[in-house]
Amino acid sequence: MTSAPPPTRGWVLYDAACGFCSWWIPRWRMTLARRGFAIAALQSPWVRERTRLPEENLVRDIRLLLPDGQLLAGGEVYLHVMERIWWARPLARAFRLPGLRWLFEQTYRVFNRNRFAISRACRLPPA
């Protein structure tokens, strides 16, 4: 059995302890794969080893590990990926504008702080 080749654009890393994250990100697996991204749980041993972040920092945000080792976090991950999906690109570009960027980041931060409560309310169990 051969392993799959590494993604050309990086790995979208999500918190498998979060029900919403465990439900949301895998739903995008094929769309992401077509754009050169793979997905993996932040709790995966290879992710911990590769990122070398302390556990409390590692699972704080969604992350994107680029092939060159650069690590993006939070709203920047969504914007980076959206720019590579033709129908989402106009939104990503709009959200990069100064006022909208601030709104996008604040919205992401509020959601991120409440993701476990949202997961419980929506009855979305972790992976």
Side-chain angles (χ1 to χ4, degrees):
M1 177 193 231
T2 61
S3 62
T8 57
R9 290 198 169 148
W11 295 264
V12 175
L13 307 172
Y14 67 96
D15 183 1
C18 168
F20 181 83
C21 303
S22 297
W23 171 81
W24 178 248
I25 300 300
R27 289 188 177 280
W28 288 92
R29 180 186 308 269
M30 295 310 298
T31 300
L32 294 169
R34 285 192 297 272
R35 275 68 179 191
F37 297 102
I39 66 170
L42 284 162
Q43 292 85 348
S44 302
W46 74 267
V47 171
R48 287 184 177 126
E49 182 180 315
R50 184 97 181 257
T51 62
R52 300 177 194 251
L53 290 173
E55 184 73 20
E56 63 275 5
N57 291 344
L58 180 65
V59 298
R60 187 173 292 154
D61 278 314
I62 188 170
R63 309 251 180 206
L64 177 62
L65 178 60
L66 300 175
D68 67 1
Q70 183 181 1
L71 193 61
L72 305 180
E76 183 60 30
V77 173
Y78 283 96
L79 294 175
H80 187 89
V81 171
M82 287 168 64
E83 288 171 342
R84 281 130 188 100
I85 301 172
W86 71 267
W87 50 265
R89 190 173 300 126
L91 280 174
R93 289 182 179 163
F95 286 135
R96 290 231 183 252
L97 297 172
L100 290 178
R101 176 62 187 260
W102 180 87
L103 180 63
F104 183 82
E105 283 296 328
Q106 293 307 308
T107 303
Y108 170 79
R109 290 282 157 227
V110 168
F111 179 83
N112 188 50
R113 274 194 308 272
N114 295 290
R115 62 194 162 108
F116 291 106
I118 293 167
S119 296
R120 282 189 301 277
C122 295
R123 298 182 184 174
L124 297 170

